[in-house]
Amino acid sequence: MRALRPQLPDIALALLVTLIGIGGTLAGAHRFGPDVRAADPGALALVIAAGAALLLRRALPLAVLGTVALLVSTYLLLGNDYGPILLSLLVAVFTVARHRPARTAGVAAGAALLVLLIPTLVTGPGLRGLLPAAAWVVVPFALGLTVQVRREAVARQREEALRRHVDDERLRIAQEVHDVVGHGLAAIKMQADVALHVLPNKPDQAEVALEAISRTSSDALDELRATLAVLRTGTGREAAPGLARVSDLVQRTREAGLEVSLRVRGEQPELPTAVDLTGYRVLQEALTNVLRHGEGGRGEVAVDYAADAVTIEVSNPHSGSAGEGGLGIPGMRRRVEALGGEFTAETTAGRFRVRARLPLEDAQ
């Protein structure tokens, strides 16, 4: 029942159309002299009824259109001239075309047109009046359909933008968790392999590996908790890792059994949060790839700070080719390019090299 209660804009529109219809009908009786038939109470009642029907134009658009079309047809069959009552028909046709599917609205508008043509053929100008009469239905139908198509297009664009945002957010969450968990698990696996290998003959070295596993897992859990807190609440970004912790990251990789050299050139400036976190994640994922796929157990890390950019490079002996599968390399590429940076991952001269250049000016 609530849906049948007219809304305030519909009440105002129905009242306006009714007043225009009454005023125009009364004025038309005297505008052209005594030869024009004066509006009788019956004609005014039809005008008022057609205007009042618009109160439910959005709740019952098809019923309102049928009612208004019958009232207008009756008004004309009684010998009244075309007048402001047709404004009610315009509004009813427009509403149907605006709020109902195109096929349904087309059928309803066609039926209303047939009803309107009856007085045109019976009491009106005959065939000469078909085109003018049809215009009272075709024009508002076209306008209503145009408005509907445009609003549906805007709604689809909004839904598509929301869907892309959700997909991007899911990908970002997957990438964050992948980077944190992947690096920790890769280091833990290598340390566990070392412990299993030396346990029978060198239990003291196995103990060292197990202690490294404990530290690595604790660090990874702390970082995972901080990352999930940021993703869950959008706060806590001050706890997000950055390039100031590059030494800790390299040391953790060394404890996993990988020989890693670190070279830092230049003085680290105050980095934008996005650049700081992206640089750390690129280093983390690149070192994870070295742990998983590197040859020779060696790697090199270089971080160069300049006034306009930070350049990160990780390389290791490798005879294969750069793989784009999984989330690793594509994820690093996405992160860097999202900041307007440059990213390469390729094998040259027997070394696999990951290089990322992060501009500072565009990320401010």
Side-chain angles (χ1 to χ4, degrees):
M1 294 299 294
R2 178 177 293 182
L4 295 180
R5 296 177 183 175
Q7 301 178 15
L8 184 59
D10 294 335
I11 295 175
L13 179 61
L15 180 60
L16 177 63
V17 171
T18 301
L19 291 177
I20 292 175
I22 293 174
T25 302
L26 291 175
H30 307 284
R31 184 176 302 168
F32 302 109
D35 294 336
V36 178
R37 179 178 175 178
D40 56 34
L44 289 175
L46 292 172
V47 171
I48 294 173
L54 298 179
L55 290 170
L56 301 177
R57 69 185 186 93
R58 275 189 281 196
L60 300 170
L62 296 176
V64 169
L65 176 57
T67 300
V68 172
L70 289 174
L71 291 172
V72 172
S73 182
T74 302
Y75 177 91
L76 297 175
L77 284 172
L78 292 176
N80 296 290
D81 293 330
Y82 284 86
I85 191 174
L86 290 170
L87 185 58
S88 298
L89 182 65
L90 292 176
V91 174
V93 173
F94 175 87
T95 303
V96 167
R98 165 66 184 86
H99 294 284
R100 285 295 178 265
R103 178 175 296 182
T104 301
V107 172
L113 178 58
L114 292 177
V115 172
L116 184 64
L117 291 179
I118 294 175
T120 302
L121 298 174
V122 174
T123 62
L127 296 178
R128 291 179 302 170
L130 292 181
L131 186 59
W136 290 100
V137 174
V138 173
V139 172
F141 177 81
L143 291 175
L145 193 60
T146 300
V147 172
Q148 181 184 142
V149 170
R150 288 183 176 177
R151 293 198 176 184
E152 288 177 350
V154 171
R156 283 195 299 270
Q157 292 175 356
R158 188 181 299 114
E159 292 175 1
E160 183 63 26
L162 179 60
R163 186 160 46 248
R164 286 197 302 269
H165 174 74
V166 171
D167 291 342
D168 291 344
E169 191 65 15
R170 287 174 178 170
L171 182 61
R172 186 176 72 87
I173 293 173
Q175 190 68 58
E176 289 289 335
V177 175
H178 169 271
D179 290 348
V180 175
V181 176
H183 180 78
L185 290 180
I188 289 171
K189 180 183 182 303
M190 180 170 285
Q191 292 160 347
D193 290 341
V194 171
L196 290 173
H197 179 71
V198 302
L199 182 60
N201 302 318
K202 300 178 180 179
D204 54 335
Q205 294 185 13
E207 182 179 355
V208 172
L210 291 174
E211 290 175 352
I213 289 175
S214 178
R215 288 193 301 272
T216 301
S217 60
S218 179
D219 292 342
L221 284 173
D222 290 342
E223 189 172 342
L224 180 61
R225 291 191 187 100
T227 300
L228 292 178
V230 172
L231 296 174
R232 182 174 60 252
T233 65
T235 60
R237 289 196 177 275
E238 65 279 357
L243 290 175
R245 294 174 54 184
V246 62
S247 297
D248 297 337
L249 184 60
V250 170
Q251 181 59 33
R252 185 192 305 174
T253 307
R254 288 170 178 165
E255 291 177 353
L258 187 69
E259 296 181 11
V260 183
S261 64
L262 172 62
R263 176 182 60 79
V264 178
R265 187 157 53 192
E267 184 176 351
Q268 179 176 342
E270 185 70 25
L271 297 175
T273 302
V275 171
D276 206 15
L277 178 59
T278 297
Y280 181 88
R281 291 301 187 211
V282 168
L283 275 174
Q284 187 178 52
E285 181 58 28
L287 288 173
T288 301
N289 286 342
V290 175
L291 285 171
R292 289 174 175 171
H293 312 297
E295 299 174 1
R298 300 188 309 277
E300 298 178 1
V301 175
V303 181
D304 294 332
Y305 295 105
D308 60 341
V310 178
T311 303
I312 299 166
E313 187 172 296
V314 179
S315 63
N316 63 280
H318 187 61
S319 58
S321 59
E324 293 285 337
L327 292 175
I329 292 177
M332 288 188 284
R333 188 185 306 279
R334 246 188 322 267
R335 286 180 182 274
V336 173
E337 292 180 351
L339 298 179
E342 302 169 3
F343 178 85
T344 57
E346 56 187 1
T347 300
T348 56
R351 296 187 68 83
F352 180 69
R353 194 179 309 274
V354 170
R355 185 179 185 277
R357 183 183 183 276
L358 302 172
L360 299 182
E361 295 180 358
D362 295 340
Q364 295 293 340

